[in-house]
């Protein structure tokens, strides 16, 4: 029991301990120690990448930062209906096509503006807006941008379809799906993998940069529509539902208000319980 209390106190102290009162500009709100350590780690990784961005191993830090940014984006942005997602995905697909295929016809050097921006053009500087993976072996067939020694995948090619995948997971939980492998989430992930595979196959076959959304958007959207039609939920899928968080999804506004009241009550009870346990442990 004593060991359990010691572990409990350590856990509470680690995740709930906040900085003392202070007048520092960035620390006035008294963030937790864990948040401060995570922030310092993020700053350290960013500064290290900025200093070593021309080194051969800089792609590792750049990819770590990119994945963190995309996960944060997908976590923060919640779209609650397939209708809005369909409009967004189609618009991004049209934008991708225009920037890759149309802009070479409008520029004097006949090069894609998107590819030039992504690869830095003639300069050595590249915007950290790509997932970079060096090729193991060089080949005349390798081209995913300007640098044939690397495969490049833009953040938009991951984050935008990722919003659809996130919505599918929330929808599965909203309808209380028991067998998740039969739901929208798994189907959308498999469809994204298939679309990305087709993208790289076309890259190899054409030896030209390709707009990934041309292959990702139809594959993911058609798969979601197919699953919705098979389960008879197309209308509900199109209109969407009120999905506040992925862990617990209220369906109506009344349920949403009740859900938030319950969360606030449970949070207060948990804080009181933590204080009581700490006092009990301290007295022992």
């Amino acid at each position: 029991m004593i060991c359990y209390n010691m572990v409990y106190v350590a856990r509470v102290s680690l995740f709930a301990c906040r900085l003392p009162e202070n007048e520092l500009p960035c620390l006035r709100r008294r963030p937790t120690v864990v948040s401060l350590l995570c922030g310092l780690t993020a700053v350290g990784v960013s500064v290290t990448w900025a200093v070593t961005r021309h080194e051969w191993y800089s792609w590792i830090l750049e990819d770590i930062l990119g994945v963190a940014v995309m996960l944060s984006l997908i976590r923060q942005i919640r779209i609650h209906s397939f209708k809005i997602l369909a409009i967004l995905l189609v618009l991004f697909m049209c934008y991708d096509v225009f920037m890759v295929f149309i802009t070479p016809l409008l520029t004097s050097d006949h090069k894609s503006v998107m590819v030039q921006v992504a690869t830095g053009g003639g300069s050595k500087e590249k915007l950290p807006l790509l997932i970079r993976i060096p090729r193991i072996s060089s080949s005349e067939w390798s081209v995913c941008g300007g640098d044939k020694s690397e495969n490049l995948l833009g953040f938009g090619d991951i984050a935008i379809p990722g919003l659809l995948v996130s919505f599918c997971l929330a929808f599965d939980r909203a309808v209380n799906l028991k067998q998740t492998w039969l739901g929208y989430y798994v189907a959308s992930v498999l469809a994204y993998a298939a679309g990305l595979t087709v993208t790289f196959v076309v890259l190899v076959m054409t030896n030209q940069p390709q707009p990934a959304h041309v292959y990702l958007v139809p594959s993911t959207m058609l798969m979601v529509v197919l699953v919705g039609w098979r389960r008879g939920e197309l209308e509900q899928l199109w209109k969407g539902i009120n999905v506040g968080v992925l862990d617990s999804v209220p369906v109506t506004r009344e349920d949403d208000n009740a859900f938030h009241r319950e969360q606030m009550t449970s949070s207060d009870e948990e804080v009181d319980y933590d204080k009581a346990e700490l006092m009990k442990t301290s007295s022992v």
Side-chain angles (χ1 to χ4, degrees):
M1 183 64 182
I2 296 178
C3 294
Y4 171 78
N5 288 336
M6 292 177 63
V7 173
Y8 179 81
V9 171
R11 180 177 65 84
V12 173
S13 301
L14 179 62
F15 291 98
C17 181
R18 292 182 176 274
L19 296 181
E21 296 289 344
N22 62 85
E23 295 299 328
L24 296 177
C26 299
L27 304 177
R28 291 178 180 175
R29 302 182 65 179
R30 300 183 60 205
T32 61
V33 175
V34 173
S35 299
L36 182 61
L37 292 177
C38 291
L40 292 176
T41 302
V43 172
V45 173
S46 302
V47 172
T48 304
W49 171 84
V51 173
T52 63
R53 64 186 183 277
H54 297 307
E55 302 294 335
W56 67 268
Y57 52 82
S58 64
W59 67 273
I60 300 176
L61 296 178
E62 184 173 340
D63 289 355
I64 292 175
L65 293 172
V67 170
V69 168
M70 286 182 290
L71 289 177
S72 178
L73 177 68
I74 295 173
R75 181 179 177 84
Q76 295 298 325
I77 299 179
R78 301 303 174 94
I79 300 178
H80 300 163
S81 72
F82 183 70
K83 175 175 62 177
I84 299 176
L85 278 167
I87 296 173
L88 180 66
L89 288 170
V90 171
L91 289 177
F92 266 94
M93 182 179 67
C94 295
Y95 167 80
D96 217 4
V97 171
F98 176 81
M99 295 302 293
V100 175
F101 290 148
I102 307 301
T103 54
L105 304 177
L106 305 177
T107 56
S108 58
D109 55 359
H110 302 291
K111 294 182 179 180
S112 169
V113 174
M114 180 176 290
V115 174
Q116 292 294 98
V117 172
T119 58
S123 66
K124 295 182 179 180
E125 299 294 339
K126 297 180 181 179
L127 294 177
L129 300 175
L130 299 166
I131 296 296
R132 298 164 48 200
I133 302 177
R135 294 189 59 84
I136 299 176
S137 61
S138 60
S139 171
E140 293 298 329
W141 293 94
S142 65
V143 53
C144 294
D147 189 353
K148 293 188 177 182
S149 64
E150 293 178 332
N151 289 331
L152 308 178
L153 187 64
F155 284 2
D157 300 331
I158 302 175
I160 304 304
L163 295 176
L164 176 60
V165 174
S166 176
F167 167 76
C168 290
L169 178 61
F171 193 88
D172 283 342
R173 292 183 175 181
V175 297
N176 296 320
L177 183 65
K178 303 300 180 182
Q179 296 177 318
T180 56
W181 61 275
L182 293 176
Y184 299 93
Y185 172 68
V186 174
S188 62
V189 171
L190 294 177
Y192 179 85
L196 195 60
T197 301
V198 173
T199 303
F200 280 98
V201 170
V202 176
L203 281 171
V204 172
M205 295 179 62
T206 62
N207 199 30
Q208 293 293 331
Q210 296 292 319
H213 281 104
V214 171
Y215 311 99
L216 296 175
V217 171
S219 62
T220 52
M221 288 183 59
L222 289 177
M223 179 60 73
V224 172
V225 170
L226 180 62
V227 175
W229 171 77
R230 180 67 178 81
R231 296 180 55 184
E233 297 172 346
L234 276 180
E235 183 177 359
Q236 184 181 7
L237 187 71
W238 182 256
K239 293 181 179 179
I241 52 177
N242 185 14
V243 285
V245 292
L246 294 180
D247 295 329
S248 181
V249 186
V251 177
T252 64
R253 185 176 298 275
E254 291 76 15
D255 291 339
D256 188 26
N257 295 334
F259 168 77
H260 287 295
R261 288 195 298 268
E262 181 181 351
Q263 288 294 102
M264 294 176 63
T265 303
S266 62
S267 299
D268 295 338
E269 292 176 353
E270 184 177 354
V271 171
D272 295 338
Y273 177 77
D274 291 343
K275 291 181 179 178
E277 286 292 329
L278 287 174
M279 293 176 63
K280 184 188 301 184
T281 306
S282 300
S283 62
V284 174

